[in-house]
Amino acid sequence: MECKIAVLPGDGIGPEVMEQALRVLDAVGRKFSHKFHIAQGLVGGAAYDVYRTHFPDETRKLCEQSDAILFGSVGGPVAELHLEKWRSCETSSILAIRKAFSFNANFRPVRIFPELKGLCPLRSEVVERGVDLLFIRELNGDIYFGRKENLVRDGKRVAVDVAEYTEDQIFSVTHTAFQAARKRRKKVTSVDKANVLHVSKLWREVVHEVAKEYPDVQLEDMLVDNCAMQLIRNPSQFDVVLTGNMFGDILSDEGAVLAGSLGLLASASINAQGFGLYEPPGGSAQDIAGKGVANPIAQILSAAMMLRFSFSLGNEADAIERAVSSALSAGLRTGDIASTAETPVSTAAMADKIISFI
Ligand code: NAD
């Protein structure tokens, strides 16, 4: 198979971990006889240095001409976010790309690697039951995109953010969730606040209509406050967790903590045509950038997700995921996942080991 991948490393640790993910893709390509055509583009602060914009037209065209986007991370050091180069960097790169390609569903798998159980902040008897869930979050609607207003009423400041969902937005992401559940353990937990919110009542109505088309998949509704609690009390009950934009934003970060490090998780944003962007959920980690110590696993697993979702290369994705587990079983740990008794390895050394298992 031949495919064209737009690679946008971005800032901070982005280029460091991307370099390793590309080495892994190269190894997979050679082993399984695929040709991955890589075309690199600038985004974030790296793009700003050249084009004075965080998401230049050149990068957009590159993405349009590609079969998938592999994204690193963007953004400056937290203390420098007021500087022109970094101001609104995340919004004007990531949200601009989401808008340009109408990505409407965000996938965030969360699982605990058996080798890293000790990193999970939950009690060991909870962790023993296993955690392997997939958040699917709607990306185009809800309170982030509704009417916004600042006004003064009766001499007092008032701020307004309107939450809005159309039935089409809900239909689309719900089908995505049920189709994903079919390939997993066939259960969807739909999260809402239908006891209070109109948007949630519509959400629940539409989800139940869609569910009739998937009789083989079990559906349960869960109120968002209960879901926040269940993720900590008993996360093994979840398979696919379907949420609106704001609830998903919060719950998926809560879920990320279960794995133990941002450096271990992959994510994907997919549009209705199946075009996807794959990226680690963490940021540019400027505190460790340039030192060669970042964990490359999130970027490598994002590449695996791209192979599975965009190119239907399930065996190849499995090979990468197995190689990551094998490297962890072999005892390799980058600084973010090493205990005090373990000696951390470099970004490149972790990737070398993963490649050796492919
Ligand atoms: P961050 O996610 O970059 O880092 C938080 C902590 O996690 C840091 O201690 C960092 O060292 C660690 N970390 C993250 N990824 C790691 C990895 N692969 N290996 C080892 N450790 C890792 O969040 P932050 O420090 O709050 O933000 C830094 C910049 O990133 C900001 O400019 C922010 O706007 C941006 N940001 C970008 C994205 C994105 O590109 N998707 C997401 C979040 C934040």
Side-chain angles (χ1 to χ4, degrees), residues 246-262:
M246 185 169 75
F247 296 157
D249 192 358
I250 299 164
L251 292 176
S252 61
D253 269 15
E254 183 187 351
V257 174
L258 302 179
S261 170
L262 278 174

PDB file of all heavy atoms in Angstrom, residues 246-262:
ATOM      1  N   MET A 246     -17.968  19.615  25.791  1.00  0.00           N
ATOM      2  CA  MET A 246     -17.414  20.077  27.064  1.00  0.00           C
ATOM      3  C   MET A 246     -17.224  18.926  28.053  1.00  0.00           C
ATOM      4  O   MET A 246     -16.174  18.813  28.679  1.00  0.00           O
ATOM      5  CB  MET A 246     -18.299  21.153  27.705  1.00  0.00           C
ATOM      6  CG  MET A 246     -17.636  21.686  28.962  1.00  0.00           C
ATOM      7  SD  MET A 246     -18.383  23.150  29.633  1.00  0.00           S
ATOM      8  CE  MET A 246     -19.835  22.483  30.378  1.00  0.00           C
ATOM      9  N   PHE A 247     -18.214  18.059  28.187  1.00  0.00           N
ATOM     10  CA  PHE A 247     -18.054  16.939  29.125  1.00  0.00           C
ATOM     11  C   PHE A 247     -16.856  16.084  28.716  1.00  0.00           C
ATOM     12  O   PHE A 247     -16.082  15.607  29.552  1.00  0.00           O
ATOM     13  CB  PHE A 247     -19.319  16.079  29.171  1.00  0.00           C
ATOM     14  CG  PHE A 247     -20.539  16.803  29.701  1.00  0.00           C
ATOM     15  CD1 PHE A 247     -21.817  16.371  29.373  1.00  0.00           C
ATOM     16  CD2 PHE A 247     -20.412  17.919  30.521  1.00  0.00           C
ATOM     17  CE1 PHE A 247     -22.943  17.029  29.864  1.00  0.00           C
ATOM     18  CE2 PHE A 247     -21.534  18.583  31.009  1.00  0.00           C
ATOM     19  CZ  PHE A 247     -22.800  18.136  30.678  1.00  0.00           C
ATOM     20  N   GLY A 248     -16.686  15.914  27.402  1.00  0.00           N
ATOM     21  CA  GLY A 248     -15.572  15.089  26.910  1.00  0.00           C
ATOM     22  C   GLY A 248     -14.225  15.728  27.174  1.00  0.00           C
ATOM     23  O   GLY A 248     -13.238  15.044  27.457  1.00  0.00           O
ATOM     24  N   ASP A 249     -14.181  17.052  27.067  1.00  0.00           N
ATOM     25  CA  ASP A 249     -12.943  17.788  27.335  1.00  0.00           C
ATOM     26  C   ASP A 249     -12.462  17.471  28.752  1.00  0.00           C
ATOM     27  O   ASP A 249     -11.292  17.150  28.992  1.00  0.00           O
ATOM     28  CB  ASP A 249     -13.262  19.289  27.191  1.00  0.00           C
ATOM     29  CG  ASP A 249     -12.019  20.151  27.151  1.00  0.00           C
ATOM     30  OD1 ASP A 249     -10.919  19.601  27.271  1.00  0.00           O
ATOM     31  OD2 ASP A 249     -12.162  21.379  27.006  1.00  0.00           O
ATOM     32  N   ILE A 250     -13.384  17.514  29.681  1.00  0.00           N
ATOM     33  CA  ILE A 250     -13.022  17.335  31.101  1.00  0.00           C
ATOM     34  C   ILE A 250     -12.801  15.851  31.430  1.00  0.00           C
ATOM     35  O   ILE A 250     -11.777  15.481  32.011  1.00  0.00           O
ATOM     36  CB  ILE A 250     -14.133  17.938  31.994  1.00  0.00           C
ATOM     37  CG1 ILE A 250     -14.268  19.442  31.695  1.00  0.00           C
ATOM     38  CG2 ILE A 250     -13.831  17.693  33.471  1.00  0.00           C
ATOM     39  CD1 ILE A 250     -15.541  20.081  32.203  1.00  0.00           C
ATOM     40  N   LEU A 251     -13.754  15.010  31.022  1.00  0.00           N
ATOM     41  CA  LEU A 251     -13.659  13.594  31.407  1.00  0.00           C
ATOM     42  C   LEU A 251     -12.463  12.896  30.760  1.00  0.00           C
ATOM     43  O   LEU A 251     -11.829  12.032  31.375  1.00  0.00           O
ATOM     44  CB  LEU A 251     -14.943  12.850  31.013  1.00  0.00           C
ATOM     45  CG  LEU A 251     -16.207  13.241  31.779  1.00  0.00           C
ATOM     46  CD1 LEU A 251     -17.417  12.499  31.209  1.00  0.00           C
ATOM     47  CD2 LEU A 251     -16.065  12.956  33.272  1.00  0.00           C
ATOM     48  N   SER A 252     -12.124  13.288  29.520  1.00  0.00           N
ATOM     49  CA  SER A 252     -11.007  12.585  28.878  1.00  0.00           C
ATOM     50  C   SER A 252      -9.679  12.946  29.545  1.00  0.00           C
ATOM     51  O   SER A 252      -8.755  12.131  29.560  1.00  0.00           O
ATOM     52  CB  SER A 252     -10.971  12.835  27.366  1.00  0.00           C
ATOM     53  OG  SER A 252     -10.794  14.195  27.096  1.00  0.00           O
ATOM     54  N   ASP A 253      -9.580  14.142  30.109  1.00  0.00           N
ATOM     55  CA  ASP A 253      -8.365  14.458  30.873  1.00  0.00           C
ATOM     56  C   ASP A 253      -8.339  13.698  32.197  1.00  0.00           C
ATOM     57  O   ASP A 253      -7.286  13.253  32.652  1.00  0.00           O
ATOM     58  CB  ASP A 253      -8.264  15.965  31.142  1.00  0.00           C
ATOM     59  CG  ASP A 253      -7.489  16.672  30.036  1.00  0.00           C
ATOM     60  OD1 ASP A 253      -7.297  16.049  28.964  1.00  0.00           O
ATOM     61  OD2 ASP A 253      -7.083  17.831  30.220  1.00  0.00           O
ATOM     62  N   GLU A 254      -9.515  13.532  32.790  1.00  0.00           N
ATOM     63  CA  GLU A 254      -9.586  12.719  34.016  1.00  0.00           C
ATOM     64  C   GLU A 254      -9.138  11.290  33.678  1.00  0.00           C
ATOM     65  O   GLU A 254      -8.339  10.688  34.397  1.00  0.00           O
ATOM     66  CB  GLU A 254     -11.018  12.710  34.569  1.00  0.00           C
ATOM     67  CG  GLU A 254     -11.142  11.952  35.878  1.00  0.00           C
ATOM     68  CD  GLU A 254     -12.598  11.785  36.337  1.00  0.00           C
ATOM     69  OE1 GLU A 254     -13.509  12.398  35.746  1.00  0.00           O
ATOM     70  OE2 GLU A 254     -12.817  11.021  37.287  1.00  0.00           O
ATOM     71  N   GLY A 255      -9.620  10.789  32.535  1.00  0.00           N
ATOM     72  CA  GLY A 255      -9.252   9.439  32.111  1.00  0.00           C
ATOM     73  C   GLY A 255      -7.757   9.310  31.858  1.00  0.00           C
ATOM     74  O   GLY A 255      -7.141   8.282  32.155  1.00  0.00           O
ATOM     75  N   ALA A 256      -7.163  10.390  31.309  1.00  0.00           N
ATOM     76  CA  ALA A 256      -5.738  10.338  30.951  1.00  0.00           C
ATOM     77  C   ALA A 256      -4.869  10.080  32.175  1.00  0.00           C
ATOM     78  O   ALA A 256      -3.832   9.420  32.088  1.00  0.00           O
ATOM     79  CB  ALA A 256      -5.320  11.648  30.286  1.00  0.00           C
ATOM     80  N   VAL A 257      -5.312  10.563  33.319  1.00  0.00           N
ATOM     81  CA  VAL A 257      -4.539  10.390  34.558  1.00  0.00           C
ATOM     82  C   VAL A 257      -4.410   8.903  34.914  1.00  0.00           C
ATOM     83  O   VAL A 257      -3.425   8.478  35.518  1.00  0.00           O
ATOM     84  CB  VAL A 257      -5.233  11.151  35.715  1.00  0.00           C
ATOM     85  CG1 VAL A 257      -4.561  10.873  37.040  1.00  0.00           C
ATOM     86  CG2 VAL A 257      -5.224  12.636  35.424  1.00  0.00           C
ATOM     87  N   LEU A 258      -5.426   8.105  34.514  1.00  0.00           N
ATOM     88  CA  LEU A 258      -5.420   6.689  34.883  1.00  0.00           C
ATOM     89  C   LEU A 258      -4.206   5.964  34.297  1.00  0.00           C
ATOM     90  O   LEU A 258      -3.654   5.055  34.905  1.00  0.00           O
ATOM     91  CB  LEU A 258      -6.706   5.998  34.415  1.00  0.00           C
ATOM     92  CG  LEU A 258      -8.020   6.585  34.939  1.00  0.00           C
ATOM     93  CD1 LEU A 258      -9.202   5.826  34.368  1.00  0.00           C
ATOM     94  CD2 LEU A 258      -8.045   6.542  36.463  1.00  0.00           C
ATOM     95  N   ALA A 259      -3.795   6.376  33.081  1.00  0.00           N
ATOM     96  CA  ALA A 259      -2.671   5.691  32.433  1.00  0.00           C
ATOM     97  C   ALA A 259      -1.347   6.005  33.117  1.00  0.00           C
ATOM     98  O   ALA A 259      -0.403   5.233  33.031  1.00  0.00           O
ATOM     99  CB  ALA A 259      -2.612   6.092  30.969  1.00  0.00           C
ATOM    100  N   GLY A 260      -1.262   7.154  33.761  1.00  0.00           N
ATOM    101  CA  GLY A 260      -0.045   7.452  34.513  1.00  0.00           C
ATOM    102  C   GLY A 260       0.809   8.547  33.928  1.00  0.00           C
ATOM    103  O   GLY A 260       1.537   9.215  34.634  1.00  0.00           O
ATOM    104  N   SER A 261       0.774   8.750  32.602  1.00  0.00           N
ATOM    105  CA  SER A 261       1.555   9.841  31.994  1.00  0.00           C
ATOM    106  C   SER A 261       0.918  10.240  30.677  1.00  0.00           C
ATOM    107  O   SER A 261       0.415   9.384  29.925  1.00  0.00           O
ATOM    108  CB  SER A 261       2.992   9.403  31.721  1.00  0.00           C
ATOM    109  OG  SER A 261       3.647  10.378  30.925  1.00  0.00           O
ATOM    110  N   LEU A 262       0.985  11.539  30.386  1.00  0.00           N
ATOM    111  CA  LEU A 262       0.505  12.030  29.091  1.00  0.00           C
ATOM    112  C   LEU A 262       1.332  11.438  27.957  1.00  0.00           C
ATOM    113  O   LEU A 262       0.892  11.378  26.819  1.00  0.00           O
ATOM    114  CB  LEU A 262       0.655  13.558  29.047  1.00  0.00           C
ATOM    115  CG  LEU A 262      -0.447  14.384  29.702  1.00  0.00           C
ATOM    116  CD1 LEU A 262      -0.049  15.850  29.682  1.00  0.00           C
ATOM    117  CD2 LEU A 262      -1.763  14.187  28.981  1.00  0.00           C
TER     118      LEU A 262
END
